[in-house]
Amino acid sequence: MTSPDIKPKPVPASIDAVLTALGETMEQRDTRLRNLFKFFDTTNAGFLDSVRIEVGLSAMKIRSDYKYAEELLRVCDANSDGRVDYEEFRKYMDDKELELYRIFQDIDVVKDGGIERRELHDALVKSGIELSDAELASFVEHIDKDNNGTITFGEWRDFLLLYPHEATIKNIYQHWERISQVDIGEQAVIPAGISKQGNAFKYLLAGGVAGAISRTATAPLDRLKVSFAVQTSKTSIGSTVKNIWKEGGTLSFFRGNGLNVAKVAPESAIKFYVYEMLKEIIGKDDIGTFGRLLAGGTAGAVAQTAVYPMELVKTRLQTYVSEPGKFPSLGKFSKDIWVHEGPRAFYKGMVPSLLGIIPYAGIDLAVYETLKEMSKTYVYFDSEPGPIAQLSCGTVAGALGAACVYPLQVVRTRMQAHQAKEAARYDGMADVFIKTYQKEGARGFYKGLFPNLLKVIPAASITYISYEAMKKTLEL
C-alpha cells in the first residue's frame, strides 16, 4: 500500500546549498553545531547519552510526555556503543539538514526561499491532512518565529533539527501536534488531534475493533457482574455461575455481548468528536487538566446518552431468567419495553450513570498522574515510563476509579433491570438507594465489584494489544 505522504525528492542538495539557504559560512555552522553539542554535554564529558539528551530536551521545553531521547540517541549513535561523540553528532546534523533542505524545496513550489501558508496547506492536503484556517495559522506560527507569515529554511531547520524520524509531511505534522497539543493522562484510545487528519476513520476503526475484542473476551465477567448487581438476596459466585450455565451453557455467559460490541464504534466516535468540538469552543490547543476533565466528562455524557437505550436492553437481556437453551429475542425485548413501559423506559438509570462520569474521570486522572510520577521518580529514576508501565498505571487508576463510583453502577443496573410490571417496585434513584441500604446494608452497593475489577486488567491489556495490532494492519 503506497502512502499518499509527500517525501523528499532526490533533488540536488549539498551542504553548500544548505549554507546558502541559511546565510552561513562553514565556520559559523561548525560553531553553531559545537555549541549545540555543548548545550547537551553540560559536564564536558565529550559524549552524549540518553540521560544528557533527556535533560537537554527538558531544557528546550519539550513536553514531558514527548521526550524522544532514546530515538535521538539511536539515530546518532553510529557505532551502537550507547554514546554519541561530536563526530557522530556532526554526521547526524549533516544528514538531517540535507533531508530537511530537500523537503523544504519540495514544499516551496515557487522557489523563493520561503514556505508560504498556502504552500504548506497544499502539501498537507496532498498527504491526506485537512486543517481549518485557524489550525493552519497555529501550525505556521509555531514555526515562524519572526511572525512575518513566511517560514524560512532557518526556522524550518530549528523546528525539526532534533526530530529523529524521517521528515515526511505527515510525520512533521504529527510532531507539531505532539509538542504543542497532546496532554499526558488523556485516556482515550484514539490519539488527540486525529480529527484533523485524513485517516481519522482508521483510528476510529482500530479503536472500535480493539474495544470489540476486549469486550468479547471479558463478556463472561460482565454477565457475572450484572447478575450479582441485581440480586437482593445473599448469593455466591459459584451458585451464580451455575445458574447462568443452566440457562444455556457457554453461550449464556455471552448474552448481551452483541449489543455491547455494537455500541463501541458509535460511542467512541461521538465521545471523540464532541471532545474535539469542545476544545474548539474553549479555543485553546492545551486546555489544561480541568478543561480536559470537563470536556472529557461532557463528551462521555453525550456519548453515553446517545447509546443508552442499547445499554438498557443489554442489561435486560443479561438479567432475564430463561429456560435452558431458550435465549430471549432482542426484537421482542425492545418491543415489549416500548409497548408496556413506553419510550422513557429506555433511559431508566441514566441519572446515576451520568453522575458517575466526572468523579470517575477525576479519580482516574489524579491516580494515573500520581502513579506515573512515582514510577518516574522511584522506578525509572527521572526517565519517562515506558508503554507497559503507563498501561499498568492506567489499569490501577481505572480500577480505583471504578471501585469508587461502583455504588452508582449498582443503582443504575437495578433501575435498568427493573420492569414496571414487577411487584417489587422502584420509584426512582433515591428509592433504589433507600431500599438497597435497608435490606442489604452498605455491602449491597458493592455486589459484583469483584468480577468487575477482574475485568479491568485483561480488558486494558487486550485493548492495548489489539489496538497496536490494528494500527500496524491499517498502517497507522
Side-chain angles (χ1 to χ4, degrees), residues 59-217:
M60 296 173 75
K61 308 300 183 185
I62 301 296
R63 293 178 67 95
S64 61
D65 59 323
Y66 188 44
K67 294 173 184 173
Y68 38 80
E70 292 293 341
E71 292 92 337
L72 187 55
L73 175 68
R74 186 166 55 251
V75 296
C76 291
D77 186 14
N79 61 7
S80 302
D81 64 351
R83 296 181 174 187
V84 176
D85 59 28
Y86 179 71
E87 292 307 316
E88 290 174 316
F89 184 77
R90 174 66 179 263
K91 177 66 168 61
Y92 165 81
M93 291 298 165
D94 290 346
D95 293 342
K96 178 58 71 172
E97 289 192 352
L98 286 173
E99 179 189 31
L100 296 177
Y101 180 75
R102 290 189 186 101
I103 195 167
F104 184 87
Q105 290 284 81
D106 284 347
I107 301 172
D108 179 20
V109 178
V110 298
K111 307 302 178 190
D112 61 354
I115 296 175
E116 305 295 333
R117 185 177 299 185
R118 175 51 55 185
E119 292 174 321
L120 183 58
H121 172 268
D122 291 345
L124 289 164
V125 169
K126 288 179 182 177
S127 294
I129 301 170
E130 295 285 348
L131 276 74
S132 66
D133 290 342
E135 291 160 350
L136 180 64
S138 177
F139 192 2
V140 172
E141 287 168 10
H142 192 91
I143 307 172
D144 179 24
K145 295 304 180 184
D146 61 7
N147 295 315
N148 66 353
T150 300
I151 299 172
T152 65
F153 179 64
E155 292 167 334
W156 184 255
R157 175 210 62 196
D158 290 344
F159 175 58
L160 294 163
L161 191 58
L162 297 173
Y163 178 63
H165 305 294
E166 183 183 7
T168 66
I169 283 294
K170 188 177 293 183
N171 283 350
I172 291 167
Y173 170 74
Q174 290 174 343
H175 173 61
W176 165 71
E177 213 178 28
R178 295 213 55 186
I179 65 175
S180 64
Q181 293 182 347
V182 174
D183 279 317
I184 192 65
E186 198 167 312
Q187 298 299 301
V189 169
I190 305 167
I194 227 60
S195 62
K196 308 178 187 84
Q197 301 184 33
N199 55 12
F201 174 75
K202 288 185 177 181
Y203 278 95
L204 287 170
L205 178 61
V209 171
I213 293 172
S214 173
R215 293 187 184 198
T216 300

Side-chain angles (χ1 to χ4, degrees), residues 205-227:
L205 178 61
V209 171
I213 293 172
S214 173
R215 293 187 184 198
T216 300
T218 58
L221 290 169
D222 186 63
R223 176 83 203 273
L224 195 59
K225 178 202 77 172
V226 172
S227 297

Side-chain angles (χ1 to χ4, degrees), residues 423-439:
R425 182 180 179 82
Y426 287 127
D427 295 318
M429 182 177 70
D431 192 41
V432 179
F433 271 107
I434 293 169
K435 288 180 177 177
T436 299
Y437 185 76
Q438 287 176 342
K439 187 172 183 180

Side-chain angles (χ1 to χ4, degrees), residues 374-389:
M374 288 175 65
S375 66
K376 181 178 177 181
T377 303
Y378 299 109
V379 179
Y380 291 89
F381 304 105
D382 293 329
S383 295
E384 279 297 306
I388 300 302

Side-chain angles (χ1 to χ4, degrees), residues 20-90:
T20 300
L22 294 172
E24 280 184 330
T25 65
M26 187 64 79
E27 291 75 18
Q28 288 172 328
R29 181 173 183 270
D30 187 57
T31 299
R32 171 171 58 82
L33 294 181
R34 285 191 178 277
N35 287 337
L36 182 58
F37 185 84
K38 290 177 181 177
F39 173 80
F40 287 96
D41 183 20
T42 54
T43 60
N44 295 317
F47 67 87
L48 307 180
D49 56 19
S50 61
V51 174
R52 288 179 172 83
I53 295 174
E54 185 78 42
V55 172
L57 293 175
S58 295
M60 296 173 75
K61 308 300 183 185
I62 301 296
R63 293 178 67 95
S64 61
D65 59 323
Y66 188 44
K67 294 173 184 173
Y68 38 80
E70 292 293 341
E71 292 92 337
L72 187 55
L73 175 68
R74 186 166 55 251
V75 296
C76 291
D77 186 14
N79 61 7
S80 302
D81 64 351
R83 296 181 174 187
V84 176
D85 59 28
Y86 179 71
E87 292 307 316
E88 290 174 316
F89 184 77
R90 174 66 179 263

Side-chain angles (χ1 to χ4, degrees), residues 249-270:
T250 305
L251 285 177
S252 292
F253 290 93
F254 292 86
R255 188 191 289 179
N257 185 58
L259 274 175
N260 207 21
V261 168
K263 68 188 182 72
V264 172
E267 188 173 16
S268 297
I270 294 168

